[in-house]
Amino acid sequence: MPIRPENRHRYPADWPAISLRIRTERAAGRCECHGECGRGTHTGRCPNRQGQPAYGTGSRVVLTVAHLDHQPENCDDTNLRAMCNGCHLHYDRDHHRQTAAATRRAALAAAGHQPLFGLADIITTPCARCGAQATTRAHCRPDLLVNPDPAAPAGADSAPFCAPCADWVVSAWRGTNHAPCGRDRATWAAWTTPLPDHGTA
């Protein structure tokens, strides 16, 4: 996976050599995922090989190296796994959600927006759908954003959700109620409000 510029300093100077050794010598050009990615699309070791068509999609496989603990500083061989781009993206999906939420929170804070909840509130706020730790406040009734109801109490159009459930709620609402706009970044930003960082990264 491409290294984001802001994370480049977290990788050792010899990272290219480490990555090449894991991908070519240890993995012999084949994805080392044995299902830890959670895709559920292969049993045993993933059959994808560098530069070959990926099973199921036919797209060209790019072999990458995943840090199992998501810490680029930890380059011990036991923490590294050669993964095809599909397995790597799926393995990192929750980590990507968390870092994206942190980026949104930072952008909102930089723009002067105040969080909807205080620290004490979010620590004890469960997801309205699954009960997990809430990280986002999603609009259950996005129609109220388009046609506000002045009689509705503040917050009546939204509830706290974890990131996966917030995604589900927004998608489900669009699927059953014919939302007035497409689900793009602007729509997601309008329908969700990240909650403050509560130190559980």
Side-chain angles (χ1 to χ4, degrees), residues 21-175:
R21 178 178 57 79
I22 295 294
R23 289 179 287 123
T24 59
E25 294 176 22
R26 191 179 82 185
R30 182 178 170 190
C31 181
E32 293 181 309
C33 178
H34 283 265
E36 56 267 57
C37 67
R39 294 165 80 184
T41 56
H42 58 84
T43 56
R45 186 172 174 183
C46 175
N48 284 342
R49 292 186 174 275
Q50 169 67 27
Q52 299 300 310
Y55 73 91
T57 66
S59 60
R60 183 177 166 273
V61 171
V62 176
L63 203 59
T64 64
V65 177
H67 289 80
L68 299 181
D69 65 356
H70 306 294
Q71 301 300 317
E73 299 87 352
N74 182 1
C75 292
D76 186 88
D77 278 11
T78 60
N79 186 52
L80 302 177
R81 189 74 35 94
M83 287 189 180
C84 65
N85 42 337
C87 286
H88 195 163
L89 282 170
H90 207 77
Y91 182 80
D92 283 350
R93 68 192 180 284
D94 291 335
H95 180 67
H96 288 166
R97 283 189 191 114
Q98 291 170 355
T99 56
T103 300
R104 287 192 301 269
R105 284 193 297 269
L108 286 171
H113 293 278
Q114 298 297 316
L116 292 177
F117 290 139
L119 182 60
D121 293 326
I122 184 55
I123 288 173
T124 58
T125 303
C127 171
R129 180 169 179 253
C130 74
Q133 178 76 44
T135 56
T136 301
R137 191 163 185 90
H139 291 275
C140 304
R141 295 279 312 281
D143 56 317
L144 293 180
L145 292 175
V146 179
N147 301 301
D149 179 0
D157 64 337
S158 63
F161 294 98
C162 64
C165 288
D167 187 41
W168 179 87
V169 167
V170 172
S171 298
W173 191 91
R174 285 189 63 246

